[in-house]
Each structure stands twice: as C-alpha cells, then as structure tokens.
C-alpha cells in the first residue's frame, strides 16, 4: 500500500482477546463495522478459543487501527460494556508479510 506521501506502508496483523462474550461482541460489531472498514480493516475473524473471545484482523495501517480504537471502538465499548474498565487493546500487532 502507498500512503498519501507516496511512501510504501505495510499492513499489520492484530490479535485481540477482549474481555467480552459473544453477546457483547455482536453488539459491538454492529456499532463499529462501518467505521472499521472506513479506517482500513481488510480482514476480520472472531470466535471463542479456550474459553476466551479471540479476534484476528488485518489492517492497512497502524494509524488506521489506532484511529478506529480512539474514535470508534472506545465510545462503543463504553455503551455496550459500561463500567468494565479500559477499552480493549490488541495483545499482538505484527507486520503482515503475505496475504
């Protein structure tokens, strides 16, 4: 991917283990789907893994991910999971070598 300055940018992979269940996930997803795509999310998969909810994503840029977390995920988390603490953050972020 080429950014607005003409520089090559690398997609990033993200792994989350948010402290939510499927019901909260579904409610959150409904609120943030359009924003995630507008901010450069290219792939999303979610499901339960060893008793925890796991989300795996690919984003065009880290800036797009950070903007999404700050502007869209944080407000939605506050509505769906009020009083549950800090907004979830990815547990793992890595450069995507191949897609």
């Amino acid at each position: 991917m080429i950014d607005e300055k003409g520089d090559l940018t690398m997609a990033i992979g993200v792994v989350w283990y948010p402290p939510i269940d499927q019901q909260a996930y579904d409610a959150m997803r409904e609120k943030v789907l359009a924003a995630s795509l507008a901010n450069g999310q290219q792939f999303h998969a979610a499901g339960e893994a060893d008793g925890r909810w796991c989300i795996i994503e690919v984003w065009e840029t880290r800036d797009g991910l950070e903007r999404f977390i700050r502007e869209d995920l944080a407000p939605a988390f506050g509505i769906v999971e009020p009083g549950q603490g800090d907004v979830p953050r990815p547990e793992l972020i890595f450069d995507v070598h191949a897609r």
Side-chain angles (χ1 to χ4, degrees), residues 6-7 10 17 19 21 24-25 27 32-33 45 48 53-54 56 58 71 73 75 78-80 88 92 95:
D7 296 326
M10 182 169 289
Y17 289 99
D21 59 16
Y25 166 81
V32 300
L33 176 60
E48 191 173 317
W53 204 248
C54 178
I56 301 167
V58 173
E71 296 176 5
L73 184 62
I79 293 168
V80 173
L92 179 63
D95 291 338

Side-chain angles (χ1 to χ4, degrees), residues 16 18-36 44 53 55 57 68-69 72-82 84 86-88:
W16 309 70
I20 60 174
D21 59 16
Q22 183 175 349
Q23 183 178 351
Y25 166 81
D26 290 341
M28 293 280 296
R29 185 79 178 142
E30 183 177 308
K31 293 186 178 310
V32 300
L33 176 60
S36 66
H44 176 93
W53 204 248
I55 300 170
E57 298 172 328
F68 167 74
I69 292 170
D72 304 295
L73 184 62
F77 187 75
I79 293 168
V80 173
E81 294 289 308
Q84 294 299 312
D86 294 335
V87 174

Side-chain angles (χ1 to χ4, degrees), residues 10-14 57-62 65 93-96:
M10 182 169 289
I12 59 167
V14 180
E57 298 172 328
V58 173
W59 289 79
E60 288 178 4
T61 66
R62 187 170 188 139
L65 169 65
I93 299 175
F94 58 95
D95 291 338
V96 173

Side-chain angles (χ1 to χ4, degrees), residues 4 7 13 52 59 63:
E4 64 277 354
D7 296 326
R52 298 191 305 168
W59 289 79
D63 287 344

